[in-house]
Amino acid sequence: MIDKLSKMSVDVNILNWGPCIIKLKIIDDLKNILLEDGVNSKIDFRDKLAGIIDNEKGYNQETKNKVVPYLSHYLGVYDQMFERFTGKPYDKKPEYTLTALWCNFQRSHEFNPPHDHDGKLSFVTYLSIPDELKKEHSEYVGRSCGPGGIQFIYGNGPRECITYQSFFPEEGDIFIFPAWLKHWLSPFKSDCVLISVSGNIHDSAPLNAIQNFAPKYLKNKNEEK
């Protein structure tokens, strides 16, 4: 019997578990828009963020309007990957709205502590990773995400469970993930500036549902009186 089992082929499925995170590349056109407008921005965004970073700038509505057509494409990719990840299609496709967009100019010893974001989805994309930081990271000895890295944290469990994902990003990388997912950006020692852009995405469908539901609800209540 044991010999028979050893010769059998077995179909195996590994069940997806936890949040859906995707990583892909943005095109240079989008990267250039975000970089130029981020450098020129005068909007101080620090009071809205958790980062221990001295220079965090918000983008104006004009920049957001330029970014949305590009971002819509990447969110469409996320939706496809999410359906594949969960193994089932959406009952109704999300109707996304870009609600916040800001640029992080992270310097030596600055960092983002573990935190989450507001909204349905969030993203971070990397515009400039200096050679000094790449060298520092290549020389890092340890088991965390390392200098200038990003780490996503989910759930509790023994070492047999995967409770985090760590990356040292490349220029042009964009990570899209659920806004509730805890993540953090590690500090570094090099005298340079790591430039990244983050944003929050809301699903406007629930808001539309509330707006459509409220008048009908009030009308029915009045008719019951």
Side-chain angles (χ1 to χ4, degrees):
M1 181 63 181
I2 298 299
D3 184 61
K4 184 178 179 180
L5 284 172
S6 67
K7 295 177 181 179
M8 291 176 60
S9 63
V10 180
D11 292 329
V12 178
N13 291 317
I14 297 177
L15 303 183
N16 287 330
W17 202 260
C20 178
I21 309 171
I22 70 168
K23 179 172 80 78
L24 62 158
K25 292 283 189 182
I26 64 172
I27 65 173
D28 287 342
D29 288 355
L30 175 57
K31 186 168 70 171
N32 292 337
I33 291 171
L34 292 171
L35 187 57
E36 180 178 355
D37 289 11
V39 169
N40 293 326
S41 174
K42 305 299 183 185
I43 303 172
D44 189 345
F45 219 65
R46 288 176 297 171
D47 63 341
K48 300 175 179 63
L49 303 174
I52 314 300
I53 299 175
D54 284 342
N55 192 0
E56 295 174 303
K57 298 294 184 63
Y59 290 94
N60 60 28
Q61 190 59 48
E62 182 181 353
T63 300
K64 291 179 184 177
N65 292 341
K66 290 188 289 185
V67 165
V68 163
Y70 297 97
L71 191 58
S72 296
H73 172 77
Y74 303 122
L75 292 174
V77 174
Y78 182 89
D79 285 344
Q80 293 177 47
M81 296 302 100
F82 181 82
E83 288 179 318
R84 183 182 301 179
F85 181 80
T86 58
K88 58 183 179 181
Y90 283 112
D91 294 329
K92 184 182 185 303
K93 286 287 187 181
E95 300 173 13
Y96 293 125
T97 301
L98 176 62
T99 52
L101 186 67
W102 66 94
C103 191
N104 309 290
F105 298 88
Q106 183 181 352
R107 294 183 177 275
S108 176
H109 302 296
E110 296 182 332
F111 66 99
N112 247 318
H115 66 287
D116 55 23
H117 288 187
D118 184 39
K120 176 76 172 181
L121 297 174
S122 290
F123 66 87
V124 57
T125 184
Y126 289 84
L127 309 184
S128 178
I129 303 175
D131 290 337
E132 300 95 320
L133 178 53
K134 294 176 184 177
K135 182 175 185 298
E136 179 183 342
H137 189 273
S138 70
E139 296 172 349
Y140 166 70
V141 177
R143 302 184 65 180
S144 75
C145 56
I150 181 171
Q151 182 162 297
F152 300 94
I153 310 164
Y154 175 74
N156 299 307
R159 289 184 178 273
E160 289 80 6
C161 295
I162 298 174
T163 57
Y164 66 91
Q165 295 283 350
S166 295
F167 303 92
F168 181 70
E170 298 177 351
E171 288 184 7
D173 280 350
I174 182 172
F175 297 86
I176 304 177
F177 51 94
W180 51 260
L181 181 62
K182 287 284 193 299
H183 57 286
W184 69 289
L185 308 181
S186 64
F188 51 87
K189 299 176 183 176
S190 301
D191 185 14
C192 60
V193 181
L194 171 63
I195 304 177
S196 64
V197 168
S198 298
N200 292 338
I201 308 294
H202 279 69
D203 184 351
S204 62
L207 297 178
N208 292 339
I210 291 171
Q211 292 169 359
N212 293 332
F213 171 76
K216 184 177 180 180
Y217 172 79
L218 293 175
K219 178 182 177 182
N220 292 339
K221 293 296 288 183
N222 289 331
E223 290 175 351
E224 291 173 2
K225 293 180 179 179

